[in-house]
Amino acid sequence: MPKIVKHEERRKLIAEAMWRVILDKGMEGATVRNIAEEAGLSLGALRYYFKTQDDLLVYAMALVQERATIRIVAVTKRDLPPKEMVIAILLEIVPVNEETLAEMEVWFAFIAYVKHRKDSLDVPDDGVYESVWKLIGYLETSSLLRPGLDVELEVERLYALVNGIAMHALLEPVRVNSERVMQTIKYHIDSICI
Amino acid sequence: MPKIVKHEERRKLIAEAMWRVILDKGMEGATVRNIAEEAGLSLGALRYYFKTQDDLLVYAMALVQERATIRIVAVTKRDLPPKEMVIAILLEIVPVNEETLAEMEVWFAFIAYVKHRKDSLDVPDDGVYESVWKLIGYLETSSLLRPGLDVELEVERLYALVNGIAMHALLEPVRVNSERVMQTIKYHIDSICI
């Protein structure tokens, strides 16, 4: 494997170790020591790949977003009618399986942590707001949006719905299971489409 | 002041000191030491009012909910037509001013912290899900819900919308200001009513 690829691979393994530590112990437990142990590395080796804990944090957040983007791009290549396409993309954003549920939990932990940092950290945007704009715009240009709707408020509403249901899937997994998440998203899109 | 009232007053002051510490430093900074300092008490005095940090945490969470309940009960006593009543109550649940924004931030910090505790903690429910059920039920019995709606999914959708917009008000206060929160809630209720 070329050295640069191997370097990047190793960085990903470390970021994934960080996710597992966060899922198990929360952000409070995500110390450099715990992450190195989970990754099977010495502290020195970990510092070789990430100079500071913030470097690792920003990278691990970006990696969550990158994975979601890859899944969404894959969906856009499928041959689906516009409304079904919009629903399929939304189902890659909300957590409907163990993998995406874990990603969402890690993301919320990141957000809660970063919010209380006094210094600014160059946190990657999760891109959900922009995606929601595109999806509502796509329904509109496909002439599928019901007449009389306020496009800007539809974006705000869908954005809140997506993050709200994601939070509930995380906190109340028994009631808000993947079936319920899918139903609710589909129901909402049906309600704004002709 | 009777002793028991004074005791309860003091417990409230300590819980409010805990909120301020959380708002300033996050849950990571909400140590007994920091809370005692913020409340102007010695560690010993704080321990007199709350035997353990968990006792204080559970009390402080219950107090957030109690405040919201008091505001909601006050709204229900106003003379409003059903739809306006529902909107007014929802606007006591979502954060539309500095006080409720702070409460929401404290609540999210609590939730994120409690989620990663291995032992169970008797956490008070925030009561939002139950409130949303009542509100949709009230619109239904008032014959205001549009025909053909799925009541259960309307509850799920409104519940997700309320918590999603609350989260956005907290994380993106410039775009999702109180005006925008109110617009979105009103828009949604209009969309499901005749």
Side-chain angles (χ1 to χ4, degrees):
Chain A
M1 213 181 321
K3 205 174 166 200
I4 192 158
V5 173
K6 205 176 157 194
H7 187 85
E8 195 51 29
E9 275 302 303
R10 188 57 69 92
R11 281 163 64 89
K12 277 194 184 171
L13 289 178
I14 296 169
E16 287 163 7
M18 184 183 202
W19 297 351
R20 289 194 299 277
V21 172
I22 291 171
L23 290 174
D24 187 44
K25 301 186 169 75
M27 277 305 284
E28 300 86 53
T31 60
V32 180
R33 191 170 299 273
N34 285 342
I35 296 165
E37 196 188 316
E38 175 69 31
L41 293 173
S42 69
L43 276 179
L46 192 143
R47 290 228 173 81
Y48 171 76
Y49 292 100
F50 295 99
K51 281 207 182 58
T52 67
Q53 198 176 8
D54 281 356
D55 288 347
L56 171 52
L57 180 66
V58 170
Y59 178 85
M61 289 185 83
L63 195 59
V64 175
Q65 203 218 326
E66 191 188 307
R67 287 202 181 196
T69 305
I70 289 170
R71 287 196 307 269
I72 290 171
V73 169
V75 172
T76 60
K77 287 181 178 151
R78 283 163 61 190
D79 186 25
L80 291 171
K83 195 172 89 172
E84 283 64 33
M85 174 70 84
V86 166
I87 291 170
I89 290 172
L90 286 169
L91 293 183
E92 296 298 338
I93 296 174
V94 293
V96 288
N97 57 45
E98 254 184 58
E99 187 195 340
T100 49
L101 207 52
E103 281 180 16
M104 187 60 68
E105 182 164 354
V106 166
W107 190 266
F108 280 142
F110 283 150
I111 293 291
Y113 172 76
V114 168
K115 171 94 183 131
H116 288 100
R117 293 270 307 230
K118 293 297 162 205
D119 49 335
S120 68
L121 200 61
D122 193 12
V123 175
D125 188 301
D126 68 357
V128 174
Y129 183 64
E130 205 195 321
S131 299
V132 168
W133 257 114
K134 282 187 194 160
L135 295 177
I136 294 286
Y138 182 50
L139 289 175
E140 197 188 19
T141 54
S142 307
S143 304
L144 282 171
L145 273 194
R146 290 196 182 190
L149 295 184
D150 180 317
V151 171
E152 205 171 319
L153 287 178
E154 287 302 337
V155 171
E156 204 67 76
R157 181 158 77 137
L158 179 54
Y159 182 44
L161 178 68
V162 162
N163 272 331
I165 200 107
M167 186 162 66
H168 297 159
L170 201 63
L171 296 172
E172 302 162 64
V174 177
R175 199 193 78 243
V176 189
N177 55 24
S178 59
E179 175 70 18
R180 180 45 78 96
V181 171
M182 287 191 258
Q183 275 182 332
T184 309
I185 293 293
K186 203 178 164 305
Y187 180 79
H188 180 72
I189 296 302
D190 280 338
S191 83
I192 64 172
C193 285
I194 293 165
Chain B
M1 210 180 325
K3 205 175 165 200
I4 192 158
V5 173
K6 204 174 157 195
H7 186 84
E8 194 51 30
E9 275 301 305
R10 187 56 69 92
R11 279 164 64 89
K12 276 193 187 175
L13 289 178
I14 295 170
E16 285 163 9
M18 184 183 200
W19 296 351
R20 290 194 299 275
V21 172
I22 291 172
L23 290 175
D24 187 45
K25 299 185 169 75
M27 276 304 284
E28 300 86 56
T31 60
V32 180
R33 191 170 299 274
N34 285 342
I35 296 164
E37 196 188 316
E38 175 69 31
L41 292 174
S42 68
L43 276 179
L46 192 142
R47 290 229 173 80
Y48 171 76
Y49 292 100
F50 295 99
K51 282 207 181 59
T52 68
Q53 198 177 6
D54 282 354
D55 288 347
L56 171 53
L57 179 66
V58 169
Y59 179 85
M61 288 184 84
L63 196 58
V64 174
Q65 203 218 324
E66 192 187 308
R67 288 202 180 193
T69 304
I70 289 169
R71 288 196 307 268
I72 290 171
V73 169
V75 172
T76 60
K77 287 180 177 150
R78 284 164 58 192
D79 187 25
L80 290 171
K83 196 173 88 172
E84 283 64 32
M85 174 70 83
V86 166
I87 291 170
I89 290 173
L90 286 169
L91 294 182
E92 295 298 337
I93 297 175
V94 293
V96 290
N97 58 45
E98 253 182 61
E99 186 196 342
T100 50
L101 209 52
E103 282 179 17
M104 188 60 69
E105 183 164 355
V106 166
W107 190 266
F108 280 142
F110 283 150
I111 293 292
Y113 171 76
V114 168
K115 171 94 182 135
H116 288 101
R117 294 267 310 229
K118 294 298 165 203
D119 51 334
S120 67
L121 201 62
D122 194 13
V123 176
D125 188 302
D126 69 356
V128 174
Y129 183 64
E130 205 195 321
S131 299
V132 169
W133 258 113
K134 284 187 191 157
L135 295 176
I136 294 286
Y138 182 50
L139 289 176
E140 198 189 17
T141 55
S142 306
S143 304
L144 282 170
L145 273 194
R146 291 198 181 188
L149 295 184
D150 180 317
V151 170
E152 206 171 317
L153 287 177
E154 286 302 339
V155 171
E156 204 67 76
R157 182 158 77 136
L158 179 54
Y159 181 43
L161 177 68
V162 161
N163 271 331
I165 202 107
M167 186 162 66
H168 297 158
L170 201 62
L171 296 171
E172 302 162 64
V174 177
R175 198 193 78 243
V176 189
N177 55 22
S178 61
E179 175 70 19
R180 179 45 78 97
V181 171
M182 287 191 260
Q183 273 181 335
T184 308
I185 293 292
K186 203 178 162 307
Y187 180 78
H188 181 70
I189 296 301
D190 279 339
S191 83
I192 62 172
C193 286
I194 293 166

